Amino acid sequence: MNKTYQQETIAQDSQLLLKKIENDAATTVWDRYQTQLPHCGFCEMGLSCRNCVMGPCRIDPFGDGPRQGVCGADAEIIVARNLGRMIAAGAASHSDHGRDLVEVLAQVAEGNGSGYQIRDTAKLKRLAAEFGVTIDGKADLLIAAELADALQEEYGTRRKALTLLGRAPEKRRKLWTSLNITPRGIDRETSEMMHRTHMGVDNDWQSLLLHGMRNALSDGWGGSLIASEVSDILFGTPTPRPTQANVGVLKKDQVNIIVHGHNPVVSEMVLAACQSPEMIALAESKGAQGINLAGVCCTGNELLMRHGVAMAGNHLSTELVLATGAVEMMIVDYQCIMPAISQVAACYHTRMVSTSDKAKFPGMTHREFHPLNAKEMAVALVKEAVENFSNRKTVYIPVEPVAAVGGFSVEAVVGALGGTPGPLLDAIKAGKIRGAAGIVGCNNPQIKQDHGHVTLTRRLIENDILVVDTGCAAVANAKAGFKVAEAIHLAGPGLQEICGALGIPPVLHFGSCVDNVRILVLASALANALGVDISDLPIAGAAPEWYSEKAAAIGVYFVASGVYTVLGPMPPVTGSMAVVNLLTQGLEDIVGATFAVEPDPEQAAVLIRRRIENKRKALGLDARSV
Ligand code: SF4
Ligand code: MSK
């Protein structure tokens, strides 16, 4: 068979490893995807409902079939309820991740966080001040304790607004108030969404979608923002540092360990264990040249941002990296870990380990991590991985890694600009940088892996639009070579000039999925500096290959915050044209931004460029025709 897998992925490492997997008779996400085709049309359109056991029900959008479920819910209600539950699941996932970090902060404050510590005391104090914790004369651990307490309260607060909304422009906050979508307690908004979508509660599709925005905002300005901030406090606020990407980061002569998931609580400890002289000596005694830790997905992004740990791949590469036969152990925490992944691992010698009581998987050994045992558990796992080195058989690492730079927190970007966002605004006003786009989100086997991210990014930077990216989009762009200062030759003349002067790449790695809030915070800082709302800025968002409920929540909090957002895959809403029209048109008059859906990244680039030029014109800046 001479299949080249160019239909599945643009990434050369993935193409070669898919071939290897085919020869090894293992199956992947692409094989399983084929077995599901054709997808159920009712589900694709959002027209099936199983919210109660009078059903399941489905609406026939075309023929003579039912127009209402057993309870009487019509297409609008069912589509809106399904979307609402999708947002709730995404918001819950990010926010629960944030809560886990707050619990670690609380343990550290109590002196129980073995191996964890406070790494960014300045951020600790800044965040504490925002939450009304007095800091004068107090020890850091006391501040941490009071902050952790306040953050835990934020999840269930009875107050009418989340604390960190204070970072949003005043105009945006007033708009949220007027629409009655100011997010309150983080848990409350998700809980209320589940309540509203129960049979016989909210049966007004517009009201459901408004609450969807409130729920998503409780993620973007609540749970995710807490996750990102507390990660910085515990593990350090990222600064630019070199790294590498693609499967070539695995090392033939070293013990390779991969971390997968989202929460840095486990992976940070594994990194420390990999660097310990005892473990390195043990590896050498087994004939290895050292221990190589690499990441996939967002736990990888967290380590990349703070330590320059190399990135082996994004979502659709998570099975493929195992086919190298070079991975002694994969350690997972939660989110985006396909339950079939251990079936691929079983074809090789890789040990699979789960670490969270919230996330157990078939075929994995479960080793519970918590702050009290984290250090010892990490050492035990690394030791086990080292001992597995001798079980290796054939190793196939088919490519060389690509250089990249990660670590662009808002603080790092503002620092690179000389301490204020002023120079960035000046470059935008002068038209050298036309605007900025956040490219975020996953891979999805419906779309050729990385094609959406890389094509859209290439077109935007060559048209002088600065790109900031997160999640699996950021990994795609790293693999494509966009994240080194030398990549400025791919940018238009204006962006080239500015990035060249600052010594930064034209595509800035902003972090993991929860770090999308860094984009919100930067957008707010720019809007505040100009005295306008976020929706007035020449900016846009895109999720060209999204798949997850978390991405749905991110997209909705982007739009509800005023950021026009282009999706690649269509969300399951086409069963109601009323819902489609609201999401893609009507929201412009309500929150100043909409969704667009455009699977072709060339066309998506045109949409974003047009949006940015229109926003420039409205601000009285020079505008190009697109
Ligand atoms: Fe059917 Fe209504 Fe029950 Fe949904 S809530 S399954 S539409 S009866
Ligand atoms: S890991 S949510 S596939 S970006 Fe954050 Fe990647 Fe999407 Fe998971």
Side-chain angles (χ1 to χ4, degrees):
M1 253 235 248
N2 286 320
K3 193 169 176 191
T4 55
Y5 293 99
Q6 289 174 11
Q7 293 305 311
E8 283 77 6
T9 173
I10 66 164
Q12 196 201 2
D13 58 348
S14 295
Q15 289 169 6
L16 295 169
L17 285 165
L18 273 166
K19 185 82 189 154
K20 166 88 165 32
I21 282 203
E22 180 192 322
N23 292 336
D24 293 347
T27 55
T28 67
V29 59
W30 282 278
D31 301 310
R32 297 188 296 275
Y33 175 68
Q34 288 302 322
T35 68
Q36 290 293 331
L37 296 179
H39 281 144
C40 165
F42 297 106
C43 293
E44 264 186 341
M45 298 177 81
L47 286 173
S48 52
C49 179
R50 51 181 175 75
N51 287 11
C52 86
V53 290
M54 291 193 287
C57 302
R58 65 200 188 287
I59 302 298
D60 183 347
F62 308 119
D64 297 328
R67 296 298 166 110
Q68 292 182 315
V70 175
C71 66
D74 61 12
E76 274 66 52
I77 294 170
I78 290 178
V79 166
R81 279 198 311 219
N82 288 339
L83 182 60
R85 286 199 166 194
M86 203 172 184
I87 294 165
S93 303
H94 285 146
S95 299
D96 202 42
H97 163 171
R99 186 189 342 253
D100 286 341
L101 284 154
V102 175
E103 287 181 354
V104 173
L105 182 67
Q107 295 270 13
V108 170
E110 287 172 18
N112 294 330
S114 101
Y116 298 106
Q117 57 185 284
I118 289 163
R119 293 251 173 71
D120 188 339
T121 51
K123 184 164 266 197
L124 169 76
K125 289 175 183 168
R126 275 205 306 279
L127 193 63
E130 277 182 277
F131 276 86
V133 173
T134 54
I135 54 177
D136 290 344
K138 274 190 198 158
D140 290 346
L141 288 186
L142 183 56
I143 297 171
E146 292 182 18
L147 175 61
D149 203 37
L151 292 172
Q152 280 171 325
E153 288 298 316
E154 193 77 349
Y155 280 83
T157 184
R158 287 178 296 164
R159 283 181 292 104
K160 302 287 183 211
L162 291 175
T163 305
L164 294 173
L165 296 179
R167 296 186 187 184
E170 191 182 354
K171 283 185 182 169
R172 184 65 23 187
R173 281 183 274 138
K174 283 189 173 156
L175 178 66
W176 290 332
T177 305
S178 70
L179 294 170
N180 199 28
I181 59 170
T182 299
R184 301 155 297 177
I186 296 163
D187 291 340
R188 173 178 186 170
E189 304 304 4
T190 292
S191 178
E192 183 171 319
M193 179 55 87
M194 297 310 287
H195 178 196
R196 282 176 184 247
T197 52
H198 189 281
M199 203 302 276
V201 186
D202 195 351
N203 289 293
D204 176 329
W205 62 273
Q206 288 154 309
S207 161
L208 281 162
L209 294 178
L210 273 175
H211 188 73
M213 288 199 283
R214 194 175 209 176
N215 194 177
L217 288 168
S218 77
D219 173 9
W221 296 90
S224 277
L225 191 43
I226 288 173
S228 194
E229 293 284 274
V230 176
S231 293
D232 286 354
I233 290 170
L234 288 170
F235 307 120
T237 299
T239 53
R241 58 187 73 229
T243 185
Q244 294 181 318
N246 82 25
V247 80
V249 305
L250 297 179
K251 295 194 164 48
K252 192 169 187 174
D253 56 359
Q254 296 195 18
V255 173
N256 291 301
I257 300 175
I258 290 196
V259 284
H260 179 8
H262 281 77
N263 192 325
V265 161
V266 172
S267 48
E268 282 276 344
M269 280 296 136
V270 174
L271 175 63
C274 288
Q275 292 169 338
S276 85
E278 294 79 14
M279 288 298 114
I280 293 169
L282 181 67
E284 287 168 353
S285 75
K286 303 286 177 189
Q289 297 299 307
I291 305 173
N292 179 43
L293 183 69
V296 291
C297 281
C298 282
T299 239
N301 278 323
E302 298 275 355
L303 290 185
L304 181 155
M305 289 288 283
R306 297 191 176 88
H307 306 283
V309 166
M311 177 61 85
N314 46 4
H315 181 52
L316 289 188
S317 297
T318 53
E319 294 173 307
L320 305 184
V321 297
L322 304 178
T324 59
V327 181
E328 273 57 54
M329 182 176 281
M330 178 180 270
I331 302 171
V332 310
D333 51 87
Y334 46 50
Q335 298 172 13
C336 301
I337 299 145
M338 289 186 261
I341 195 165
S342 296
Q343 292 167 16
V344 179
C347 297
Y348 309 96
H349 75 304
T350 308
R351 300 240 167 104
M352 301 293 295
V353 179
S354 56
T355 56
S356 165
D357 68 341
K358 296 173 188 173
K360 296 182 179 173
F361 298 85
M364 291 197 198
T365 305
H366 187 69
R367 299 287 171 73
E368 190 87 20
F369 261 67
H370 51 78
L372 283 177
N373 76 355
K375 200 170 171 183
E376 295 71 28
M377 183 64 81
V379 170
L381 288 182
V382 171
K383 196 167 171 220
E384 204 178 304
V386 169
E387 275 157 7
N388 196 25
F389 183 69
S390 58
N391 294 323
R392 262 195 201 178
K393 296 184 182 75
T394 317
V395 167
Y396 176 63
I397 302 173
V399 294
E400 291 297 316
V402 175
V405 176
F408 288 94
S409 57
V410 174
E411 292 83 346
V413 171
V414 172
L417 293 168
T420 83
L424 179 57
L425 284 173
D426 291 343
I428 291 172
K429 284 181 192 162
K432 290 183 174 166
I433 296 179
R434 311 302 298 170
I439 302 185
V440 311
C442 324
N443 295 137
N444 181 329
Q446 292 175 6
I447 299 214
K448 193 185 294 189
Q449 184 192 17
D450 296 351
H451 172 67
H453 301 309
V454 168
T455 309
L456 177 59
T457 301
R458 190 186 295 277
R459 291 292 170 260
L460 294 181
I461 62 174
E462 70 190 19
N463 283 287
D464 293 318
I465 292 168
L466 178 70
V467 169
V468 299
D469 57 13
T470 63
C472 291
V475 184
N477 285 336
K479 288 189 280 179
F482 294 159
K483 290 177 183 261
V484 282
E486 297 72 35
I488 56 170
H489 74 275
L490 297 168
L495 184 61
Q496 205 170 115
E497 182 189 326
I498 301 297
C499 292
L502 294 169
I504 59 172
V507 181
L508 303 180
H509 195 318
F510 259 43
S512 65
C513 291
V514 294
D515 290 332
N516 282 306
V517 298
R518 297 191 200 272
I519 300 175
L520 283 187
V521 170
L522 182 59
S524 293
L526 294 176
N528 286 334
L530 283 174
V532 299
D533 196 355
I534 294 173
S535 55
D536 298 321
L537 295 172
I539 63 172
E545 303 179 32
W546 74 285
Y547 90 90
S548 84
E549 291 162 320
K550 293 178 293 167
I554 293 164
V556 174
Y557 75 60
F558 264 38
V559 169
S561 298
V563 183
Y564 171 74
T565 298
V566 182
L567 304 176
M570 173 66 85
V573 295
T574 52
S576 164
M577 283 317 292
V579 172
V580 170
N581 289 337
L582 180 73
L583 296 177
T584 58
Q585 295 169 32
L587 286 179
E588 190 69 46
D589 294 333
I590 300 170
V591 291
T594 62
F595 284 101
V597 180
E598 179 49 72
D600 177 356
E602 298 282 2
Q603 290 307 313
V606 171
L607 292 177
I608 288 174
R609 288 175 54 210
R610 199 172 284 149
R611 174 76 175 192
I612 282 175
E613 295 299 336
N614 285 342
K615 287 293 167 184
R616 292 184 62 84
K617 195 171 172 190
L619 282 170
L621 304 173
D622 76 294
R624 296 174 183 165
S625 56
V626 178

